[in-house]
Amino acid sequence: MKKITAVEYKHRRSALMAEMEANSIAILPSAPLQPRNRDVEHPYRQDSDFYYLTGFAEPESVLVLIPGRSHGEAVLFCQEKDPEKELWEGRRAGQEGAVADYAMDDAFPINDIDEILPGLIEGRSRVYYAIGANEAFDRRLMGWIKSIKSKTKQGAQPPGEFIALENILHEQRLFKSEAEIAVMAEAGEISAKAHLRAMRACRPGIYEYQIEAEMLHEFMQSGARFAAYPSIVGGGENACILHYTNNDCLLKDGELILIDAGCELDHYAADITRTFPVNGRFSEEQKAIYELVLTAQLEAIEAIKPGTVFNHIHDITVRVITEGLVKLGILKGDVNKLIEDEAYKPFYMHKSSHWIGMDVHDVGDYRIAGQWRDLEPGMVITIEPGIYIAPDNIDVDPKWRGIGVRIEDDVVVTETGHKVLTSEVPKHVHEIEALMQPIQ
């Protein structure tokens, strides 16, 4: 069920057009269908930019924005109503539905685009378009432009400039509205329930994919049909593989399990990582590494507020983790020199944060004019420090090898500080052990 109203989508289109230069046109195609095998397609997921401006989930559609057009600024090309095809493929909005239900100003059949869209482009000085994002549509658009250019002797005026649409659209997407944050909060709550379910179900002797199944069940049961990204469910040494998705190994007594998984709700993602013991009890070594990562995460979250420099969050986690690794004897030397030399990187090789929204690694620049940007209200970021001690790292005591820990939450920057959207999953050692104890 859609969580954001047609009025908000219309407001987004208006905001984008307000940033466009005079006498311009913006063109956004929908995501193409993707074959899975033979005559089977992957479940369709709309292009995020297109959906952000339309809320329209059907394939074979194109949004055209023409500021100042007297017959309507927002034009949607989409499939026509067709009872026979809808019997096989599902309901379509059609042109009437595009106007009535999606607040478009005008709508045309997608099969008429070759005849109509060149006329809408002709006479416009600039075209806003994401070149390279959809190569098949790139070729069609270039064909229309060539067609217009071929008629210049008859007075046709082709556009003289292409402008990267993402430069303004992605900056707009970076700042979430109240409605978007509400959807992301709900996605976080559903994902949190799934992680809780996984903790309660976990025990030695079952497989990683069985834990993944528990999470997918909770997603769907709660109204989120899909995961936002392939779930990572890594037991033991698999937790040290950052993007491990095989999820096919047996979970063993005495190991940790790292789960990085979140649902997608109305095209908005959640992203949560928790690490916990398969048998419900941390060993001393596991606990030491885990609490170090947790300290880094909590200190980083505490620093989130308007005006904080984005990369300062990562710097906090690097210092906490480096200091902790020295105290544990895993690193040796002066902390400042170790940080300068990036000696922590064999154990903590990724950044602590990324934007999150419609895409799990969401759009938006991290730097402005070469400088890390400040956090501002409406931005949503992850905080996800980790420590991964490779099983074959001969430079550390064997007792540490194969331990992988990451803890991740989604955090929105507010006017006065921050709010954690995924706080319902326990992450303190005593909380995790208490939650898992009844199944032991």
Side-chain angles (χ1 to χ4, degrees):
M1 185 175 67
K2 289 177 62 61
K3 306 288 184 179
I4 295 175
T5 67
V7 172
E8 176 151 339
Y9 290 110
K10 185 172 184 176
H11 173 75
R12 294 173 184 178
R13 295 192 293 270
S14 297
L16 176 62
M17 286 189 282
E19 294 292 324
M20 293 167 59
E21 295 188 32
N23 196 36
S24 61
I25 184 171
I27 303 171
L28 295 91
S30 62
L33 293 163
Q34 297 291 343
R36 184 183 186 276
N37 61 300
R38 197 168 170 80
D39 59 351
V40 176
E41 293 164 343
H42 282 286
Y44 186 71
R45 202 281 189 180
Q46 187 58 275
D47 174 78
S48 293
D49 284 342
F50 183 93
Y51 194 85
Y52 177 81
L53 293 171
T54 64
F56 194 77
E58 294 181 26
E60 297 183 48
S61 46
V62 176
L63 174 67
V64 181
L65 299 177
I66 316 170
R69 178 174 178 260
S70 59
H71 295 293
E73 297 180 312
V75 179
L76 186 69
F77 290 87
C78 59
Q79 298 174 102
E80 292 184 88
K81 296 288 291 180
D82 185 326
E84 184 175 349
K85 289 187 177 180
E86 290 180 61
L87 176 65
W88 289 88
E89 300 170 1
R91 297 180 182 89
R92 298 175 177 179
Q95 286 66 58
E96 289 185 5
V99 174
D101 300 330
Y102 294 88
M104 296 295 164
D105 298 316
D106 208 350
F108 299 102
I110 190 67
N111 290 337
D112 294 343
I113 195 169
D114 289 325
E115 289 73 40
I116 297 174
L117 186 51
L120 298 177
I121 297 171
E122 197 274 324
R124 297 284 159 177
S125 303
R126 302 169 185 84
V127 177
Y128 285 82
Y129 179 71
I131 297 175
N134 184 330
E135 292 184 5
F137 196 84
D138 289 354
R139 291 190 290 271
R140 295 189 70 185
L141 179 57
M142 291 305 108
W144 294 323
I145 299 296
K146 288 179 181 178
S147 175
I148 298 169
K149 286 184 175 180
S150 71
K151 300 174 183 176
T152 53
K153 290 183 179 180
Q154 289 78 44
Q157 297 178 327
E161 183 179 8
F162 274 79
I163 300 176
L165 175 66
E166 57 269 30
N167 288 349
I168 54 176
L169 180 55
H170 290 179
E171 183 70 8
Q172 183 177 330
R173 278 181 54 188
L174 177 58
F175 295 89
K176 275 59 178 178
S177 68
E178 290 184 8
E180 288 179 283
I181 292 170
V183 175
M184 293 185 70
E186 187 174 351
E189 291 168 4
I190 292 170
S191 301
K193 289 195 296 182
H195 278 265
L196 288 168
R197 184 186 182 106
M199 288 181 180
R200 294 188 179 106
C202 190
R203 62 185 183 278
I206 65 174
Y207 284 85
E208 294 164 340
Y209 57 75
Q210 292 177 287
I211 295 298
E212 181 181 14
E214 295 285 347
M215 303 199 70
L216 293 175
H217 176 92
E218 192 65 50
F219 292 167
M220 289 194 180
Q221 188 74 18
S222 300
R225 288 232 23 236
F226 301 104
Y229 53 95
S231 300
I232 297 168
V233 183
E237 297 176 358
N238 294 334
C240 295
I241 303 172
L242 297 184
H243 291 161
Y244 173 80
T245 56
N246 286 350
N247 302 350
D248 59 0
C249 290
L250 191 71
L251 296 172
K252 301 174 184 177
D253 191 30
E255 293 181 338
L256 293 176
I257 178 172
L258 184 155
I259 302 177
D260 186 337
C263 75
E264 181 176 277
L265 186 67
D266 196 17
H267 290 71
Y268 285 84
D271 189 2
I272 302 176
T273 306
R274 290 294 186 268
T275 309
F276 54 92
V278 171
N279 64 14
R281 292 290 182 186
F282 288 88
S283 71
E284 288 304 311
E285 290 77 18
Q286 292 168 350
K287 182 179 178 180
I289 297 297
Y290 183 90
E291 291 192 329
L292 175 52
V293 174
L294 179 60
T295 298
Q297 199 224 20
L298 293 174
E299 291 196 16
I301 290 174
E302 188 60 30
I304 295 175
K305 62 180 184 298
T308 297
V309 177
F310 179 88
N311 203 51
H312 177 60
I313 304 298
H314 181 66
D315 291 341
I316 289 172
T317 65
V318 166
R319 179 160 293 277
V320 171
I321 285 173
T322 304
E323 289 175 348
L325 291 175
V326 169
K327 289 179 182 178
L328 294 175
I330 296 172
L331 285 177
K332 295 178 174 61
D334 176 72
V335 169
N336 291 330
K337 185 67 165 61
L338 290 169
I339 292 174
E340 181 183 345
D341 294 342
E342 298 185 331
Y344 57 87
K345 278 204 166 179
F347 309 102
Y348 180 29
M349 63 290 293
H350 59 77
K351 286 289 188 178
S352 64
S353 304
H354 57 76
W355 308 129
I356 182 169
M358 298 188 76
D359 299 309
V360 68
H361 285 195
D362 208 28
V363 296
D365 291 330
Y366 292 97
R367 297 173 186 260
I368 301 294
Q371 301 297 314
W372 292 104
R373 72 188 303 161
D374 291 346
L375 297 179
E376 299 179 55
M379 294 175 170
V380 187
I381 65 174
T382 65
I383 303 295
E384 52 176 310
I387 295 175
Y388 317 89
I389 306 175
D392 58 354
N393 189 336
I394 60 174
D395 295 326
V396 302
D397 190 307
K399 68 181 181 178
W400 303 112
R401 296 176 194 170
I403 295 177
V405 174
R406 182 166 65 252
I407 307 171
E408 177 181 22
D409 284 295
D410 305 339
V411 185
V412 59
V413 184
T414 66
E415 294 286 346
T416 57
H418 63 267
K419 180 181 179 181
V420 179
L421 301 178
T422 51
S423 60
E424 296 303 311
V425 197
K427 55 187 176 182
H428 291 279
V429 167
H430 71 276
E431 294 173 329
I432 293 171
E433 291 186 339
L435 177 69
M436 299 183 70
Q437 187 59 32
I439 66 169
Q440 302 308 307

